[in-house]
Amino acid sequence: MINVLVTAKDGQLGQCFQSLVVKHPNILFVFKSSSDLDITNKAKVEDVFSEQSFDYCINCAAYTAVDKAEEAIELADKVNHLGAQNIAEACKKFEVILIHISTDFVFDGEGTAPYLEDDITNPLGVYGKTKLAGEQVIAKTLQRYFIIRTSWLYSEYGHNFLKTMLRLANERDEIGVVGDQIGSPTYAMDLADATLQIIASRNTSYGIYHYSNEGVVSWYDFAKEIFRLSDSPIKLNKIETKDYPTPAVRPKYSIMNTEKISQLLDSKIPNWKSSLAIAMVNCIKSKS
């Protein structure tokens, strides 16, 4: 039996892991909410790690409010950087392998080819900077770790672009969505499944990996497919980033090369359209 600690069980990724428990009878999961395990509290983190022996810790805890982070700098750093440090130090002390979820926001979006894991990072805002600081402290503290950078995460759980679009489709007749930012939407269930494949295989090829669904799309095209699948009559207008100013600057190019993790998993990563169709069905099921 493999013992796995999962943080932030109430977040969308944490909920995806919970839904996959039945598929992994050889893994014993311990799920902790942010109130059960405040990763910013070093003593509390150590208490949880000392309660029982874990083989892995999947750290889903993060401050992900990208725009609010521009003002809540201290809080974002406390969670994304210092919280990651507390988890890493506990993993080192108790000999636990860490799987940490990071983001495409560590890059500036000025690239013209899919980002590789060892490409130069240059985050544009507080969220990306604090997530990068978390990555760096993990790499400095541990030898046994997987850092998985992902992008445009959505699911039937929590707050995300898919659920926002479905809500707006019921509230409005017309919306504008940015068409000059491109990336790869990632179904959180696929990310969770890939993570558990790494654990189940006991793979020891530690390091940084990129995971997103296959395919390249703009936010506008992503929204267009959501409305097509949901048979929504809403009028969708393509706008530019300058037409929708936000406190935090978004990378215009968020495409990451996923060959490394595809080889690790020895499997093909699903295309974003097929995964979105599955997520849509699950959204409908969750409402019924």
Side-chain angles (χ1 to χ4, degrees), residues 1 8 22 33 36 40 50-51 56 63 73 84 97 130-131 152 154 158 171 174 185 190 207 211 215 229 235 288:
M1 191 67 79
V22 69
S33 67
D36 298 327
T40 68
S50 66
E51 287 172 2
Y56 292 85
Y63 185 94
I73 299 172
I97 299 167
T130 56
K131 288 296 287 182
W152 296 23
Y154 71 91
E171 295 175 356
E174 181 177 353
D190 289 342
Y211 186 95
L229 289 171
K235 183 181 178 185
S288 59

Side-chain angles (χ1 to χ4, degrees), residues 114-173:
Y115 286 106
L116 296 167
E117 286 80 357
D118 57 359
D119 278 346
I120 295 170
T121 52
N122 184 34
L124 299 174
V126 171
Y127 170 65
K129 288 174 182 176
T130 56
K131 288 296 287 182
L132 178 60
E135 286 188 11
Q136 291 169 336
V137 76
I138 288 167
K140 184 179 178 181
T141 305
L142 296 170
Q143 291 184 317
R144 299 192 306 161
Y145 67 86
F146 294 91
I147 291 171
I148 305 177
R149 294 174 180 150
T150 192
S151 63
W152 296 23
L153 206 62
Y154 71 91
S155 70
E156 57 268 34
Y157 303 113
H159 303 285
N160 55 70
F161 186 80
L162 168 61
K163 295 187 75 175
T164 297
M165 290 300 105
L166 292 175
R167 175 177 56 80
L168 291 176
N170 289 324
E171 295 175 356
R172 301 184 189 177
D173 298 321

